[in-house]
Amino acid sequence: MESEPRWNLTVGLWLIYTPVPSGFGDGVVGRGRYLTEALHRDVREGRAEGYDWKIEPDGSWSIAERLVVFAISENGDYPAWDTGARDDDGELPIFHTSRFNSLTRMGDALYEAIEWLRRGDREPDPIDLTPPRSHPAVSDGADAQLKSPPGAMSMKRE
């Protein structure tokens, strides 16, 4: 059975725009250009107002003006290429902006940016909510099924 081309999410959350011709709304040329223009407008307004936090922790006003948005998350976050800093291999550094309110460097190439996205939060959670291996709800390794803790209500009909 042949599969038809379709959109899919990268790392379960990110829609990366493809380089489809102008006129296709969800490509880097169409939707990406619209988001890039919105980013640049927001950056200019933020700079005029002195909102330096918009480019923290890893950006600058000049980097922000060179960014080209090429993806979006379901949460309103955007990865963008720094088009003014190509390396010897032709790779572009990639920055992450959360609703145009920060600039964090994701990596020096798409592979590094995908790994950054895959890892999720960069900072460890202050509270580890992962149950210890000895907890009854965690599989003992003999099977892949989760076990209910003692005293838990059963959803089975008797």
Side-chain angles (χ1 to χ4, degrees), residues 4-140:
E4 291 188 30
R6 63 181 189 264
W7 293 106
N8 206 342
L9 297 174
T10 301
V11 194
L13 186 65
W14 297 87
L15 177 64
I16 296 180
Y17 298 127
T18 57
V20 295
S22 185
F24 291 85
D26 282 338
V28 74
V29 176
R31 183 76 173 146
R33 178 175 35 213
Y34 169 80
L35 291 170
T36 297
E37 289 169 358
L39 169 64
H40 291 170
R41 212 173 22 255
D42 194 77
V43 163
R44 285 189 295 275
E45 290 171 11
R47 187 175 193 174
E49 294 292 329
Y51 297 157
D52 292 342
W53 47 265
K54 286 185 154 299
I55 57 170
E56 293 176 355
D58 301 325
S60 68
W61 294 115
S62 60
I63 289 172
E65 285 290 339
R66 299 189 309 242
L67 294 177
V68 173
V69 175
F70 68 90
I72 185 172
S73 79
E74 292 183 330
N75 298 328
D77 295 343
Y78 307 93
W81 290 303
D82 177 0
T83 58
R86 195 177 294 272
D87 70 11
D88 292 339
D89 295 326
E91 295 285 350
L92 298 170
I94 299 172
F95 285 80
H96 169 267
T97 179
S98 182
R99 295 176 185 84
F100 304 152
N101 287 323
S102 63
L103 284 180
T104 304
R105 190 179 185 112
M106 298 169 70
D108 293 327
L110 187 57
Y111 174 81
E112 291 175 13
I114 296 295
E115 285 299 304
W116 189 92
L117 293 173
R118 190 184 61 75
R119 284 192 312 266
D121 291 331
R122 269 51 51 214
E123 298 295 322
D125 288 330
I127 300 171
D128 183 6
L129 299 176
T130 307
R133 297 280 307 153
S134 61
H135 191 278
V138 178
S139 172
D140 64 4

Side-chain angles (χ1 to χ4, degrees), residues 136-158:
V138 178
S139 172
D140 64 4
D143 62 315
Q145 301 296 316
L146 290 179
K147 299 175 184 176
S148 296
M153 292 178 53
S154 172
M155 298 302 284
K156 287 184 187 176
R157 290 187 180 196
E158 299 296 325

